[in-house]
Amino acid sequence: MIMFGVVMLIIFALTYTWVTRGFLSSLLHMICVVLAGAIAFGLWEFLAHLILNRTSSAAIMGSAWAIALIVPFGVATVILRVIIASVVRNTAVAPGALDYAGAGICGLVTGTITAGSLVIGIGTTRVGTDFLGYQPLDYGSVSLQRTGGLPIVPVDRSVGGLYAHTSEAAFQTNESLAQYYPVPSLMAASLRMTDGDGKARNTAQPGDFSIVGTYVVGQAGLQGSALLRDNWVPTPHNAVTIEGESYSGNQKLLGVWVDPKPSLKERAGDIIFGEGQVFMVAETASGERLIRHPVAVSSPADPASEGRYGRWRFDARGFVALPGAALSPMAFEFILPPDATPTAIFVKGIRANIDDSEPRVFASTGQRDSAIEAGSILPGGAASTPLDASESTTIGDGRREADRRDLQDSGISV
C-alpha cells in the first residue's frame, strides 16, 4: 500500500528531525502543530464552501475540501512557529536520555497529526476510490462498509477522532466538528466513492440542492426487516450499517426529500450519486452519534410522466436520477433507532440541516408504497416536472441489434 508507505515516511522523517532539535524545541513545535490542526479543522467546512462558491474550475472544485484543510494547516503551523520563535529565543536543554526520549515523543505526535491531516485532505480529492491503495470504504455484498483503511497506524481515524473529540472539549465551539463530522476520515473517504470508481463528480456546491420535507415509517419503532421491504420486490433488502451490522430490532425509516438543482448535474446531463456520497448524521437520546447511508431512494419512475414515482433500493454502486431528464425531488431513506434525531444530511459533501419536527407519518411500508403508487408521496408544494419532448428527434427504430449480446433491452429510441 503506497499510502501506508507515505505515512510512515512522514512520521519517521518528522520524528527524526525533531529528535535532533531537542526536547523543548520539539515540544514547542508540537504545540504549534496541535493548534494548527484545530484551526484547520475548525475552518474546514467554511473555507471549502468559500472555494466552491468562487470557482467554476472542475479541477479546483474536485480539490476544494483538500485545499481547505491542508493549506490552513500549513499556514497556521508556520505562523504559530514564527510567533513562538520570536517570543522564546532560547530553550533549555534537558538531560541526555530525557532530551532524546521527550523529543522523540513530541516528534511522533507532530508526524502523526501532519500525516493524518494530509491523508484526510488527499482523501477528499477527485481521485480513484482506491487511490494509492488507500480505501477506507468499499461496497460489500449488500451495502457500503468500512474496510479498515490504513493498517497499523490509522492516522486518518486517530487524527480525525482527536479533533472531533476536542471540538467539544479543549477547543469547544457552539457548532462543534463532532456534531456534524463525528468521523471526519469517513466523510473524506465518502466524497470520492463516485460512479466509475472515482471518475464522476465528487463534490457539490452550496445551493445545488434543498431539503423540501421528510417522512417517517414506524415512528415508534418497527422491526428492521419489515422496514427493508416494499411492494415491488418480495425479498427484504439485506442492507447493513457502515460497520457491517444488520438493522435488527426496533428501528424507524426516515425519508428526506432532496430537491436537486441543474448545477448538480454531471457534464453529460445526469445526476449520479455514488454509494457513499449521500449520508446522514443523527444523534440518539443517549448522545451517541450515528452515520447512516441510504438504503433506498424514491424518485420519478418515468421522465415523461408527471407524478409517477417509484422506489429503488440502494443495492448497487451508484444511482442515476432521471438520465438527461428534467429535475424532480427524490427521497433518500435511512434506517435509524426510534430515539435518534437527525442532525444533517450530506450530499456530495454539502451539509443541509434537517428539521423533522413535522414529518409525514406512515404506519407501515405498505402505506408508504401506496402513496408512491398513487403519486401522492411528494411533500406539499413540490411537484415532479415532465420531460419536454416537443423538440426531440427520434433516432433509430427501437429494435435490438441482433449481433450485440450486451444489449438486453428492446432497443434504444432517443
Side-chain angles (χ1 to χ4, degrees):
M1 179 187 286
I2 298 177
M3 184 65 82
F4 173 71
V6 171
V7 167
M8 293 303 297
L9 180 62
I10 292 172
I11 293 176
F12 175 80
L14 289 176
T15 301
Y16 176 78
T17 298
W18 288 104
V19 163
T20 63
R21 302 293 179 85
F23 174 38
L24 294 180
S25 292
S26 181
L27 175 63
L28 291 174
H29 185 75
M30 181 193 73
I31 294 171
C32 292
V33 169
V34 171
L35 293 175
I39 292 170
F41 278 98
L43 295 174
W44 191 22
E45 183 184 74
F46 170 77
L47 291 179
H49 287 195
L50 185 65
I51 295 169
L52 289 167
N53 273 328
R54 293 177 178 270
T55 185
S56 58
S57 167
I60 295 178
M61 287 178 61
S63 305
W65 287 89
I67 296 170
L69 181 65
I70 295 173
V71 172
F73 176 75
V75 171
T77 300
V78 171
I79 293 174
L80 290 170
R81 186 61 190 171
V82 169
I83 294 173
I84 288 292
S86 65
V87 174
V88 184
R89 297 187 178 275
N90 296 291
T91 57
V93 178
L98 179 61
D99 192 54
Y100 282 110
I105 293 172
C106 293
L108 182 63
V109 173
T110 294
T112 299
I113 293 177
T114 301
S117 300
L118 288 173
V119 170
I120 293 174
I122 292 171
T124 65
T125 55
R126 189 173 180 174
V127 294
T129 54
D130 61 347
F131 180 64
L132 299 182
Y134 171 63
Q135 189 169 0
L137 297 175
D138 196 8
Y139 195 83
S141 58
V142 290
S143 294
L144 189 73
Q145 295 179 43
R146 190 199 295 265
T147 58
L150 293 168
I152 305 175
V153 284
V155 293
D156 52 342
R157 293 181 61 180
S158 60
V159 172
L162 167 68
Y163 287 109
H165 173 72
T166 54
S167 70
E168 295 182 322
F171 304 127
Q172 185 174 3
T173 62
N174 291 332
E175 288 194 342
S176 66
L177 177 71
Q179 182 178 0
Y180 298 113
Y181 302 91
V183 187
S185 59
L186 289 184
M187 178 274 177
S190 71
L191 279 181
R192 57 194 175 92
M193 299 298 291
T194 67
D195 186 58
D197 291 328
K199 295 179 181 178
R201 183 177 167 184
N202 67 321
T203 60
Q205 292 176 289
D208 276 352
F209 69 95
S210 60
I211 305 300
V212 293
T214 60
Y215 61 84
V216 63
V217 180
Q219 192 169 31
L222 293 173
Q223 282 297 313
S225 57
L227 294 172
L228 293 170
R229 297 177 181 271
D230 58 40
N231 289 345
W232 299 280
V233 182
T235 57
H237 182 195
N238 293 322
V240 296
T241 70
I242 199 170
E243 304 294 346
E245 300 172 353
S246 63
Y247 292 108
S248 58
N250 274 354
Q251 306 283 340
K252 68 180 178 183
L253 183 147
L254 180 66
V256 181
W257 284 104
V258 173
D259 189 14
K261 310 303 179 188
S263 53
L264 195 57
K265 290 185 176 183
E266 304 282 333
R267 285 188 176 183
D270 304 338
I271 295 180
I272 304 176
F273 296 105
E275 61 267 39
Q277 290 189 301
V278 179
F279 64 91
M280 172 185 289
V281 175
E283 186 171 345
T284 65
S286 63
E288 180 186 5
R289 292 195 173 98
L290 307 172
I291 297 175
R292 291 287 186 263
H293 288 80
V295 297
V297 57
S298 295
S299 72
D302 185 344
S305 299
E306 183 175 2
R308 288 189 57 197
Y309 266 64
R311 181 179 185 269
W312 329 103
R313 295 181 177 185
F314 242 109
D315 55 2
R317 286 187 170 269
F319 172 77
V320 181
L322 283 183
L327 298 172
S328 294
M330 58 193 71
F332 292 94
E333 296 186 347
F334 305 86
I335 304 295
L336 298 168
D339 66 342
T341 301
T343 303
I345 185 173
F346 290 77
V347 178
K348 296 193 176 184
I350 301 302
R351 169 172 59 91
N353 292 352
I354 298 175
D355 179 11
D356 70 332
S357 56
E358 296 183 3
R360 185 175 178 184
V361 178
F362 296 104
S364 65
T365 56
Q367 284 189 6
R368 176 207 57 199
D369 296 344
S370 297
I372 292 175
E373 290 177 329
S376 60
I377 187 68
L378 277 168
S384 61
T385 305
L387 176 66
D388 180 5
S390 61
E391 299 182 9
S392 64
T393 301
T394 299
I395 302 174
D397 55 12
R399 290 182 296 180
R400 181 168 65 123
E401 294 184 37
D403 60 340
R404 292 286 303 280
R405 293 184 178 180
D406 58 325
L407 293 177
Q408 301 298 321
D409 54 21
S410 58
I412 300 174
S413 179
V414 181

PDB file of all heavy atoms in Angstrom, residues 316-331:
ATOM      1  N   ALA A 316     -26.687  -1.161  -5.360  1.00  0.00           N
ATOM      2  CA  ALA A 316     -25.694  -1.123  -6.423  1.00  0.00           C
ATOM      3  C   ALA A 316     -24.727   0.017  -6.134  1.00  0.00           C
ATOM      4  O   ALA A 316     -24.944   0.819  -5.227  1.00  0.00           O
ATOM      5  CB  ALA A 316     -26.370  -0.938  -7.778  1.00  0.00           C
ATOM      6  N   ARG A 317     -23.668   0.117  -6.915  1.00  0.00           N
ATOM      7  CA  ARG A 317     -22.631   1.099  -6.633  1.00  0.00           C
ATOM      8  C   ARG A 317     -23.052   2.531  -6.893  1.00  0.00           C
ATOM      9  O   ARG A 317     -22.442   3.465  -6.398  1.00  0.00           O
ATOM     10  CB  ARG A 317     -21.382   0.771  -7.446  1.00  0.00           C
ATOM     11  CG  ARG A 317     -20.640  -0.424  -6.892  1.00  0.00           C
ATOM     12  CD  ARG A 317     -19.317  -0.629  -7.604  1.00  0.00           C
ATOM     13  NE  ARG A 317     -18.523  -1.638  -6.903  1.00  0.00           N
ATOM     14  CZ  ARG A 317     -17.660  -1.365  -5.950  1.00  0.00           C
ATOM     15  NH1 ARG A 317     -17.479  -0.124  -5.573  1.00  0.00           N
ATOM     16  NH2 ARG A 317     -16.983  -2.321  -5.353  1.00  0.00           N
ATOM     17  N   GLY A 318     -24.053   2.752  -7.679  1.00  0.00           N
ATOM     18  CA  GLY A 318     -24.461   4.118  -7.968  1.00  0.00           C
ATOM     19  C   GLY A 318     -25.927   4.195  -8.343  1.00  0.00           C
ATOM     20  O   GLY A 318     -26.552   3.198  -8.683  1.00  0.00           O
ATOM     21  N   PHE A 319     -26.466   5.388  -8.267  1.00  0.00           N
ATOM     22  CA  PHE A 319     -27.849   5.633  -8.643  1.00  0.00           C
ATOM     23  C   PHE A 319     -27.886   6.822  -9.590  1.00  0.00           C
ATOM     24  O   PHE A 319     -27.334   7.886  -9.292  1.00  0.00           O
ATOM     25  CB  PHE A 319     -28.711   5.926  -7.412  1.00  0.00           C
ATOM     26  CG  PHE A 319     -30.107   6.383  -7.758  1.00  0.00           C
ATOM     27  CD1 PHE A 319     -31.047   5.469  -8.178  1.00  0.00           C
ATOM     28  CD2 PHE A 319     -30.458   7.719  -7.682  1.00  0.00           C
ATOM     29  CE1 PHE A 319     -32.336   5.888  -8.515  1.00  0.00           C
ATOM     30  CE2 PHE A 319     -31.727   8.141  -8.007  1.00  0.00           C
ATOM     31  CZ  PHE A 319     -32.664   7.223  -8.423  1.00  0.00           C
ATOM     32  N   VAL A 320     -28.500   6.638 -10.751  1.00  0.00           N
ATOM     33  CA  VAL A 320     -28.635   7.712 -11.733  1.00  0.00           C
ATOM     34  C   VAL A 320     -30.072   8.214 -11.677  1.00  0.00           C
ATOM     35  O   VAL A 320     -31.017   7.453 -11.859  1.00  0.00           O
ATOM     36  CB  VAL A 320     -28.306   7.224 -13.157  1.00  0.00           C
ATOM     37  CG1 VAL A 320     -28.446   8.376 -14.151  1.00  0.00           C
ATOM     38  CG2 VAL A 320     -26.905   6.645 -13.210  1.00  0.00           C
ATOM     39  N   ALA A 321     -30.231   9.495 -11.387  1.00  0.00           N
ATOM     40  CA  ALA A 321     -31.567  10.085 -11.269  1.00  0.00           C
ATOM     41  C   ALA A 321     -31.999  10.673 -12.601  1.00  0.00           C
ATOM     42  O   ALA A 321     -31.393  11.616 -13.093  1.00  0.00           O
ATOM     43  CB  ALA A 321     -31.563  11.174 -10.200  1.00  0.00           C
ATOM     44  N   LEU A 322     -33.022  10.104 -13.189  1.00  0.00           N
ATOM     45  CA  LEU A 322     -33.609  10.614 -14.435  1.00  0.00           C
ATOM     46  C   LEU A 322     -32.543  11.013 -15.460  1.00  0.00           C
ATOM     47  O   LEU A 322     -32.269  12.194 -15.637  1.00  0.00           O
ATOM     48  CB  LEU A 322     -34.507  11.822 -14.138  1.00  0.00           C
ATOM     49  CG  LEU A 322     -35.861  11.497 -13.548  1.00  0.00           C
ATOM     50  CD1 LEU A 322     -36.656  12.768 -13.383  1.00  0.00           C
ATOM     51  CD2 LEU A 322     -36.630  10.519 -14.384  1.00  0.00           C
ATOM     52  N   PRO A 323     -31.926  10.065 -16.123  1.00  0.00           N
ATOM     53  CA  PRO A 323     -30.860  10.406 -17.062  1.00  0.00           C
ATOM     54  C   PRO A 323     -31.308  11.423 -18.104  1.00  0.00           C
ATOM     55  O   PRO A 323     -32.227  11.183 -18.867  1.00  0.00           O
ATOM     56  CB  PRO A 323     -30.536   9.058 -17.719  1.00  0.00           C
ATOM     57  CG  PRO A 323     -31.034   8.028 -16.771  1.00  0.00           C
ATOM     58  CD  PRO A 323     -32.221   8.636 -16.105  1.00  0.00           C
ATOM     59  N   GLY A 324     -30.652  12.569 -18.124  1.00  0.00           N
ATOM     60  CA  GLY A 324     -30.907  13.580 -19.130  1.00  0.00           C
ATOM     61  C   GLY A 324     -32.259  14.237 -19.062  1.00  0.00           C
ATOM     62  O   GLY A 324     -32.614  15.030 -19.940  1.00  0.00           O
ATOM     63  N   ALA A 325     -33.050  13.954 -18.048  1.00  0.00           N
ATOM     64  CA  ALA A 325     -34.410  14.472 -17.996  1.00  0.00           C
ATOM     65  C   ALA A 325     -34.496  15.706 -17.110  1.00  0.00           C
ATOM     66  O   ALA A 325     -33.528  16.153 -16.521  1.00  0.00           O
ATOM     67  CB  ALA A 325     -35.354  13.396 -17.473  1.00  0.00           C
ATOM     68  N   ALA A 326     -35.694  16.255 -17.022  1.00  0.00           N
ATOM     69  CA  ALA A 326     -35.916  17.391 -16.142  1.00  0.00           C
ATOM     70  C   ALA A 326     -35.750  16.955 -14.694  1.00  0.00           C
ATOM     71  O   ALA A 326     -35.778  15.776 -14.366  1.00  0.00           O
ATOM     72  CB  ALA A 326     -37.305  17.950 -16.373  1.00  0.00           C
ATOM     73  N   LEU A 327     -35.563  17.919 -13.810  1.00  0.00           N
ATOM     74  CA  LEU A 327     -35.275  17.620 -12.412  1.00  0.00           C
ATOM     75  C   LEU A 327     -36.550  17.441 -11.607  1.00  0.00           C
ATOM     76  O   LEU A 327     -37.550  18.110 -11.844  1.00  0.00           O
ATOM     77  CB  LEU A 327     -34.433  18.741 -11.810  1.00  0.00           C
ATOM     78  CG  LEU A 327     -33.064  18.952 -12.468  1.00  0.00           C
ATOM     79  CD1 LEU A 327     -32.422  20.206 -11.913  1.00  0.00           C
ATOM     80  CD2 LEU A 327     -32.167  17.759 -12.242  1.00  0.00           C
ATOM     81  N   SER A 328     -36.478  16.553 -10.634  1.00  0.00           N
ATOM     82  CA  SER A 328     -37.596  16.326  -9.727  1.00  0.00           C
ATOM     83  C   SER A 328     -37.047  15.954  -8.363  1.00  0.00           C
ATOM     84  O   SER A 328     -35.935  15.425  -8.259  1.00  0.00           O
ATOM     85  CB  SER A 328     -38.497  15.200 -10.239  1.00  0.00           C
ATOM     86  OG  SER A 328     -39.138  15.571 -11.442  1.00  0.00           O
ATOM     87  N   PRO A 329     -37.794  16.212  -7.285  1.00  0.00           N
ATOM     88  CA  PRO A 329     -37.327  15.825  -5.949  1.00  0.00           C
ATOM     89  C   PRO A 329     -37.173  14.316  -5.828  1.00  0.00           C
ATOM     90  O   PRO A 329     -37.863  13.545  -6.502  1.00  0.00           O
ATOM     91  CB  PRO A 329     -38.440  16.334  -5.034  1.00  0.00           C
ATOM     92  CG  PRO A 329     -39.137  17.383  -5.820  1.00  0.00           C
ATOM     93  CD  PRO A 329     -39.069  16.938  -7.250  1.00  0.00           C
ATOM     94  N   MET A 330     -36.265  13.902  -4.960  1.00  0.00           N
ATOM     95  CA  MET A 330     -36.072  12.480  -4.678  1.00  0.00           C
ATOM     96  C   MET A 330     -35.890  12.329  -3.173  1.00  0.00           C
ATOM     97  O   MET A 330     -35.349  13.216  -2.513  1.00  0.00           O
ATOM     98  CB  MET A 330     -34.861  11.939  -5.438  1.00  0.00           C
ATOM     99  CG  MET A 330     -33.562  12.640  -5.134  1.00  0.00           C
ATOM    100  SD  MET A 330     -32.252  12.223  -6.308  1.00  0.00           S
ATOM    101  CE  MET A 330     -32.853  13.091  -7.755  1.00  0.00           C
ATOM    102  N   ALA A 331     -36.360  11.212  -2.646  1.00  0.00           N
ATOM    103  CA  ALA A 331     -36.313  10.984  -1.198  1.00  0.00           C
ATOM    104  C   ALA A 331     -35.329   9.871  -0.880  1.00  0.00           C
ATOM    105  O   ALA A 331     -35.499   8.734  -1.317  1.00  0.00           O
ATOM    106  CB  ALA A 331     -37.700  10.617  -0.676  1.00  0.00           C
TER     107      ALA A 331
END
